[in-house]
Amino acid sequence: MAPSTGDLQLTSAGAGDEYSDNLEEVRLLDSYDKNDVVEDGTKRIQVRITGMTCAACSNSVEAALKSVNGVTDASVALLQNKADVVFNPSLVKDEDIKNAIEDAGFEAEILQESGAAAHGGAGVVVGQFTIGGMTCAACVNSVEGILRGLNGVKRAVVALATSLGEVEYDPSVISKDDIVAAIEDAGFEGSFVQSNGQDQIVLRVGGVYSLGDARVLEAMLSGIKGVKQFRFDSVLNELDVVFDPQVISSRSLVDRIELGSNGKFKLHVRNPYSRMASKDGSETSTMFRLFISSLFLSIPLFFMGVICPHIPLIYSLLLWRCGPFLMGDWLKWALVSVIQFVVGKRFYKAAGRALRNGSTNMDVLVALGTTASYIYSVCALLYGALTGFWSPTYFETSAMLITFVLLGKYLECLAKGKTSDAIKKLVALTPATALLVVKDKGGRTIEEREIDSLLVQPGDTLKVLPGTKIPADGIVTWGSSYVNESMVTGESIPVSKEVNASVIGGTINLHGVLHIQATKVGSDTVLSQIISLVETAQMSKAPIQKFADYVASIFVPTVVILALLTLLCWYIAGALGAYPEEWLPENGNHFVFALMFSISVVVIACPCALGLATPTAVMVATGVGANNGVLIKGGDSLERAQMVKYVIFDKTGTLTQGKATVTAAKAFTGMDLGEFLTLVASAEASSEHPLAKAILQYARHFHFFDESSPTTGTKNDAEEDFKSGWLYDVSDFSALPGRGVQCFIDGKRILVGNRKLLEENSINISKEVENFVVELEESAKTGILVAYDYVLIGVLGIADPLKREASVVIEGLWKMGVIPVMVTGDNWRTARAVAKEVGIQDVRAEVMPAGKADVVRSFQKDGSIVAMVGDGINDSPALAAADVGMAIGAGTDVAIEAANYVLMRDNLEDVITAIDLSKKTFFRIRLNYVFAMAYNVIAIPVAAGVLFPLLGIKLPPWVAGACMALSSVSVVCSSLLLRRYRKPRLTTILEIVVN
């Protein structure tokens, strides 16, 4: 909104010019944008593209990008209006990519990296604005063109689905009020939104009822140290504040205002995520209004053509001549003109935009078909007035066509809105408020007060009551309870939370009262990372979509040619007398007869169904996966997973529980067992390996019979054990990956590890020791050999229990036609014993961490699709090498880069869920393509009149338009059926009958 008397600009007296209008460093979509340098030296950026209306458009943009020298990969997402581009920055610059897209006839804008640092140099800020009144891509283009033409604006991006605009500009040249005024001058509604920068906040203020109240607020803000600049909008009751976070925090700022006003002013932080989630209804409501307008104007046309001829009085009025035409003709012309050029204006604008850009889309077909019908009808009227020969008019064809297309668009908007329901549900998980526990310096609680959850800061102590949502990620500092994490991790069983347990924001506390210390807030929380990951996945393009892109690129020109051929064939056939005159409409001629078939061909063809087949299914699938704790990083990952032939499992922590325990210990040189364990524990105390933790815990229990204080394997535990005096001092400790550890105790070398470690150091392994180790390994235990002063002194047997679902999941994979493989760094006997227990036939043992990637590649040599399941840490090379990398048991670490799938739970059943969801999704995509192709292959010949000579079947243009509108709706609804997806039951996969 432009400045008016309803706005009061409030700036503190000490605020310098450098802070003027510096309220707009904001990027609502920051969490979803990627702009980074890939490891191989290439750079990845995202580009916002406007003007794309169908798959043909996205296909032409992608081709333009890939033709640029230096671009190694490019993917264009039609639904999200974005392109993901990987390129060599030494050969091509960001601006070259932008120019390539614009040369293809579309508007492009580089989406900058999140954070103020990426927004350009000093003085360049990013503002966010709501833009109301946009109804189509043409509107988006119009607004963006106006904004980019403003002096001082560096870039502008407008999102139709959210009715939001993002503008990067120089505040010393142009202010945000100028930008709002430009939006309103273009015929749209505009207003500034808010900032997500740490030093900016937008607050909704209650209690300001007059100019006097506003001046009181001004005086309070001017007296608060750290406030740089502020502005109050009295119409929206919103306060924009820029402050110095080193001097005052956002919560302190709110507190000062509320306390300073004695509670008169109530302030609430504006939540940009909730605002985004609530914007989907704008396009739907617009389409509904257009459809209703067209319907109400079309109803009189229907009555005049069908009902009125049976009502003599009204019919006589319609036949009354008024000037050159009948009254009925005047009414039809007037009503249809409104429908054609007012209600249907959006089709002309979109079609004109597409043609100017050198592309074609569905709007071109609609505009072409309806205009042909309208112009012919007008010409028929004028010809009749001049010659007295009155041909039939087809005004109602144009009106009904537009009405049915708008109905289809409205239903399509409804359906497409539901594809993003998963994101909306995730956004809605964040509670509105949090209960802050205020403590004194001694740690005693002073008070508890309710604050806005967006004002929570790291380190805050929050009280979480039973039945309420946890407001932020944190650590439990007091209390115990059970927490329902199903909405985030997919784990249906409530999780017990004790002191020092971690909790996830957005989950529900079920029973007891908890005090938590916030550790992550805002975009750093698990919930925000999940939303970002799902958004990124929904933007990606599955390889199968290339087929639709190719078809769409030639679809509209092909349809126009077919329509012209239809017109010529029927017209020439009629002129040659190939069909009887009785087929012609009353007072009609061969041209009119042929024209109706031609218009039907134009309007019945639907490229939209093809373009929506893949992205809608991928959007729904990624949302469903997130609800089940399976995070999918893109459509390409989905497509590969459904073709998986091999699934390679890491053993430790994947097939096993990762909770190693010592089950046997034996000394072989006459050394006392206690002395032996003390030597081993001393050597392992400096290691952080899980086996070291198990050995240290076993030795402590042996000496002190104490199970109450297990170690965590940290350096602090080791220091405590050394201080207690029962461990020996060690020197020159070193960990040997894949073999064990070595150090010196009393100047003598001690080795703790596997056979390979001892063999490398030429230490003899007696037959007695070998037999004992073999016995351990054949019982699926790991033998740890210990040598002291170059003499083997003993052996430890360590067992890591299998996960209870491991064997059933492996059998389930066999039933699904997937071959399971196990790879481990453990010895062959232990590996074979574990594999035999779970049902795996192919085993690779004694593989170093770096060698696991080579194992993956060996299975890929014949072109097989290979999945790797690991913990995402030491398995990262193998996860990255696999066609489908699955990081299991990620918990709160959802940003594992090497994995294509992130399985939130530590449950192997989710591996089957991931593969099954992929298979179900691509079955649905193929079904969508079959339907879309079959529709066009069958509908176009019928519309062209192929069946008319034999069966008398003829589709009027308005019926053809209805069919076209419903085809894309049907495809979207087909994709929505994926929302009913349920995890496969293992009993079903294994064909077990449960009584």
Side-chain angles (χ1 to χ4, degrees):
M1 50 177 280
S4 65
T5 55
D7 295 330
L8 181 63
Q9 182 72 31
L10 308 176
T11 307
S12 56
D17 292 338
E18 65 269 26
Y19 302 126
S20 177
D21 292 309
N22 190 24
L23 287 169
E24 298 83 0
E25 284 189 30
V26 49
R27 286 177 53 81
L28 188 62
L29 304 177
D30 271 346
S31 301
Y32 311 145
D33 294 340
K34 304 292 180 189
N35 188 344
D36 46 54
V37 177
V38 186
E39 291 180 1
D40 61 1
T42 59
K43 183 180 179 183
R44 180 186 299 273
I45 63 171
Q46 284 190 347
V47 187
R48 180 75 180 183
I49 304 170
T50 55
M52 297 190 301
T53 56
C54 65
C57 303
S58 60
N59 191 48
S60 63
V61 173
E62 195 167 295
L65 288 171
K66 289 182 177 178
S67 67
V68 177
N69 183 33
V71 172
T72 58
D73 189 30
S75 175
V76 180
L78 174 63
L79 289 183
Q80 285 75 20
N81 291 320
K82 284 184 182 180
D84 189 78
V85 187
V86 180
F87 62 95
N88 187 339
S90 64
L91 298 176
V92 63
K93 297 186 177 0
D94 295 13
E95 194 65 25
D96 297 329
I97 292 171
K98 177 175 178 290
N99 292 337
I101 297 172
E102 291 179 343
D103 289 343
F106 300 88
E107 296 290 341
E109 193 58 51
I110 306 296
L111 296 179
Q112 300 294 334
E113 188 177 9
S114 61
H119 297 165
V124 178
V125 296
V126 178
Q128 214 161 36
F129 303 82
T130 56
I131 304 170
M134 296 189 299
T135 59
C136 61
C139 301
V140 172
N141 178 65
S142 174
V143 175
E144 286 188 335
I146 290 167
L147 291 175
R148 290 169 183 166
L150 296 175
N151 186 30
V153 171
K154 308 296 183 183
R155 67 178 188 88
V157 179
V158 177
L160 176 62
T162 56
S163 295
L164 289 173
E166 193 171 270
V167 184
E168 184 177 332
Y169 63 97
D170 185 348
S172 64
V173 178
I174 186 172
S175 71
K176 65 180 182 301
D177 290 329
D178 296 330
I179 294 172
V180 170
I183 294 171
E184 293 185 337
D185 289 343
F188 300 91
E189 300 170 5
S191 63
F192 175 68
V193 183
Q194 63 177 9
S195 165
N196 67 349
Q198 289 185 340
D199 57 347
Q200 300 152 51
I201 191 170
V202 177
L203 304 164
R204 184 177 289 108
V205 185
V208 179
Y209 304 112
S210 64
L211 187 60
D213 291 335
R215 286 174 176 165
V216 171
L217 185 61
E218 175 187 11
M220 292 175 60
L221 286 165
S222 299
I224 297 176
K225 187 177 181 181
V227 172
K228 298 177 178 179
Q229 191 260 348
F230 49 89
R231 175 183 179 276
F232 178 69
D233 185 336
S234 60
V235 176
L236 299 176
N237 280 338
E238 289 181 356
L239 177 66
D240 305 347
V241 184
V242 175
F243 60 95
D244 185 351
Q246 302 297 323
V247 178
I248 188 170
S249 67
S250 57
R251 189 167 72 232
S252 298
L253 175 64
V254 171
D255 290 344
R256 292 278 295 273
I257 295 173
E258 290 188 342
L259 293 175
S261 65
N262 293 321
K264 176 179 175 57
F265 300 141
K266 296 293 182 182
L267 281 68
H268 301 282
V269 182
R270 291 280 302 278
N271 188 339
Y273 286 110
S274 298
R275 186 178 183 86
M276 285 178 62
S278 65
K279 283 290 181 181
D280 279 340
S282 61
E283 182 183 5
T284 304
S285 60
T286 299
M287 283 298 171
F288 181 72
R289 287 196 303 271
L290 289 173
F291 164 65
I292 290 298
S293 301
S294 183
L295 179 63
F296 276 119
L297 291 171
S298 298
I299 288 175
L301 293 172
F302 174 79
F303 269 87
M304 282 189 283
V306 178
I307 306 297
C308 292
H310 302 286
I311 306 175
L313 179 61
I314 298 178
Y315 193 54
S316 62
L317 291 175
L318 295 177
L319 296 176
W320 177 53
R321 183 167 296 278
C322 183
F325 310 123
L326 301 179
M327 179 60 71
D329 293 331
W330 281 114
L331 290 174
K332 287 181 182 179
W333 193 355
L335 289 171
V336 173
S337 295
V338 175
I339 295 173
Q340 185 76 33
F341 301 111
V342 179
V343 178
K345 179 176 63 175
R346 64 178 306 277
F347 297 114
Y348 284 102
K349 293 176 70 175
R353 166 72 179 168
L355 293 173
R356 283 197 303 273
N357 293 335
S359 61
T360 53
N361 56 18
M362 190 203 74
D363 294 302
V364 172
L365 295 178
V366 174
L368 188 62
T370 57
T371 303
S373 177
Y374 179 85
I375 290 177
Y376 167 77
S377 299
V378 172
C379 289
L381 278 181
L382 296 176
Y383 183 77
L386 293 174
T387 66
F389 179 78
W390 298 94
S391 298
T393 60
Y394 293 91
F395 283 121
E396 63 277 358
T397 295
S398 170
M400 296 298 287
L401 223 166
I402 290 175
T403 301
F404 278 110
V405 171
L406 289 173
L407 172 62
K409 283 291 183 184
Y410 167 62
L411 296 176
E412 184 182 322
C413 288
L414 284 177
K416 283 166 63 178
K418 293 184 182 296
T419 62
S420 59
D421 275 356
I423 292 289
K424 297 173 188 174
K425 289 177 182 177
L426 288 170
V427 170
L429 290 178
T430 305
T433 60
L435 200 57
L436 178 67
V437 178
V438 183
K439 297 183 178 181
D440 61 14
K441 293 182 179 179
R444 291 173 297 183
T445 300
I446 301 174
E447 66 169 326
E448 297 174 358
R449 62 191 185 90
E450 193 173 48
I451 63 169
D452 197 307
S453 63
L454 296 177
L455 295 176
V456 173
Q457 300 167 355
D460 283 347
T461 298
L462 307 171
K463 182 177 182 179
V464 186
L465 300 174
T468 61
K469 294 177 181 177
I470 296 172
D473 293 359
I475 302 294
V476 177
T477 59
W478 178 87
S480 63
S481 181
Y482 282 86
V483 174
N484 180 5
E485 297 181 344
S486 61
M487 64 289 298
V488 175
T489 66
E491 177 60 68
S492 58
I493 301 174
V495 182
S496 175
K497 298 295 181 182
E498 305 285 343
V499 173
N500 293 329
S502 61
V503 292
I504 302 173
T507 56
I508 300 175
N509 179 28
L510 296 179
H511 302 300
V513 176
L514 293 177
H515 284 190
I516 69 166
Q517 184 178 42
T519 56
K520 294 180 180 179
V521 299
S523 60
D524 294 329
T525 63
V526 171
L527 194 58
S528 294
Q529 290 181 49
I530 291 175
I531 292 171
S532 174
L533 198 152
V534 174
E535 282 277 354
T536 302
Q538 290 181 347
M539 181 194 162
S540 68
K541 181 182 290 188
I544 195 175
Q545 196 170 337
K546 292 179 181 178
F547 166 73
D549 292 343
Y550 171 73
V551 174
S553 66
I554 61 173
F555 188 88
V556 174
T558 302
V559 169
V560 173
I561 292 172
L562 288 174
L564 290 174
L565 288 175
T566 301
L567 175 67
L568 292 174
C569 288
W570 278 107
Y571 181 72
I572 293 172
L576 296 176
Y579 55 83
E581 296 291 326
E582 289 78 14
W583 287 6
L584 299 180
E586 185 180 355
N587 295 329
N589 53 45
H590 295 296
F591 177 77
V592 174
F593 186 66
L595 180 64
M596 290 300 106
F597 282 117
S598 179
I599 292 174
S600 293
V601 169
V602 168
V603 298
I604 203 168
C606 184
C608 293
L610 283 169
L612 292 170
T614 297
T616 53
V618 170
M619 285 185 73
V620 177
T622 50
V624 167
N627 289 338
N628 287 281
V630 177
L631 303 181
I632 307 164
K633 292 192 175 180
D636 53 343
S637 302
L638 259 176
E639 181 164 350
R640 288 196 298 267
Q642 52 99 26
M643 299 184 290
V644 163
K645 182 178 180 181
Y646 297 98
V647 175
I648 301 177
F649 292 92
D650 179 45
K651 179 178 78 72
T652 305
T654 301
L655 290 173
T656 66
Q657 297 177 15
K659 300 175 182 177
T661 55
V662 177
T663 59
K666 187 174 183 179
F668 287 96
T669 58
M671 179 183 289
D672 178 70
L673 183 60
E675 177 68 12
F676 167 68
L677 290 174
T678 302
L679 279 171
V680 180
S682 300
E684 293 284 14
S686 299
S687 173
E688 296 185 1
H689 196 280
L691 296 185
K693 173 183 174 181
I695 292 170
L696 196 58
Q697 184 175 346
Y698 181 82
R700 180 187 287 105
H701 175 63
F702 180 87
H703 285 292
F704 305 110
F705 302 98
D706 177 17
E707 293 182 297
S708 61
S709 58
T711 66
T712 61
T714 64
K715 292 181 179 180
N716 289 336
D717 294 320
E719 290 173 1
E720 290 177 6
D721 285 326
F722 282 121
K723 288 178 181 177
S724 66
W726 73 282
L727 293 180
Y728 299 126
D729 292 331
V730 301
S731 60
D732 297 332
F733 172 87
S734 62
L736 307 172
R739 298 188 294 279
V741 300
Q742 70 173 3
C743 62
F744 288 86
I745 297 178
D746 293 333
K748 298 178 181 179
R749 190 183 190 190
I750 183 168
L751 302 171
V752 183
N754 54 22
R755 280 192 188 85
K756 186 182 293 185
L757 177 62
L758 271 64
E759 290 170 354
E760 288 176 354
N761 289 274
S762 303
I763 295 175
N764 181 53
I765 302 175
S766 67
K767 189 170 184 179
E768 179 186 7
V769 173
E770 180 66 26
N771 291 337
F772 182 72
V773 173
V774 168
E775 183 181 344
L776 289 173
E777 292 172 346
E778 288 179 344
S779 59
K781 297 174 183 175
T782 301
I784 303 296
L785 289 74
V786 183
Y788 184 54
D789 196 18
Y790 296 96
V791 177
L792 198 155
I793 61 174
V795 175
L796 293 165
I798 297 181
D800 187 0
L802 287 168
K803 292 178 179 176
R804 61 181 182 178
E805 74 275 7
S807 59
V808 181
V809 168
I810 297 302
E811 187 177 353
L813 289 172
W814 281 111
K815 294 281 187 180
M816 294 172 69
V818 179
I819 302 172
V821 180
M822 187 181 80
V823 61
T824 178
D826 216 334
N827 64 83
W828 277 99
R829 287 193 186 89
T830 302
R832 289 194 180 103
V834 171
K836 183 179 180 180
E837 191 172 346
V838 297
I840 293 178
Q841 297 175 5
D842 196 340
V843 183
R844 308 297 167 97
E846 298 180 6
V847 179
M848 303 287 283
K852 292 178 182 178
D854 295 328
V855 172
V856 170
R857 295 187 189 100
S858 69
F859 283 99
Q860 293 172 324
K861 286 181 179 178
D862 62 352
S864 298
I865 303 298
V866 179
M868 173 71 196
V869 184
D871 57 17
I873 304 170
N874 59 353
D875 297 316
S876 291
L879 289 173
D883 298 290
V884 181
M886 298 185 185
I888 192 169
T892 58
D893 186 13
V894 301
I896 297 174
E897 291 296 329
N900 305 105
Y901 281 71
V902 178
L903 311 181
M904 299 288 287
R905 302 187 305 161
D906 192 13
N907 192 317
L908 289 170
E909 294 177 17
D910 287 346
V911 175
I912 287 182
T913 300
I915 296 174
D916 183 67
L917 177 59
S918 173
K919 289 179 180 290
K920 294 285 198 309
T921 301
F922 272 81
F923 170 78
R924 184 61 55 185
I925 289 174
R926 292 187 187 99
L927 198 64
N928 289 348
Y929 278 134
V930 168
F931 176 80
M933 289 300 296
Y935 163 79
N936 284 293
V937 168
I938 295 171
I940 291 176
V942 172
V946 171
L947 300 180
F948 184 73
L950 296 175
L951 303 176
I953 296 176
K954 178 182 178 183
L955 289 180
W958 66 270
V959 174
C963 293
M964 182 271 288
L966 294 176
S967 64
S968 57
V969 176
S970 300
V971 167
V972 178
C973 290
S974 171
S975 296
L976 285 174
L977 290 176
L978 283 171
R979 297 172 67 196
R980 301 172 60 186
Y981 175 82
R982 295 292 179 270
K983 287 184 178 182
R985 297 179 62 182
L986 289 176
T987 52
T988 303
I989 294 175
L990 301 179
E991 299 173 355
I992 298 173
V993 178
V994 180
N995 295 322

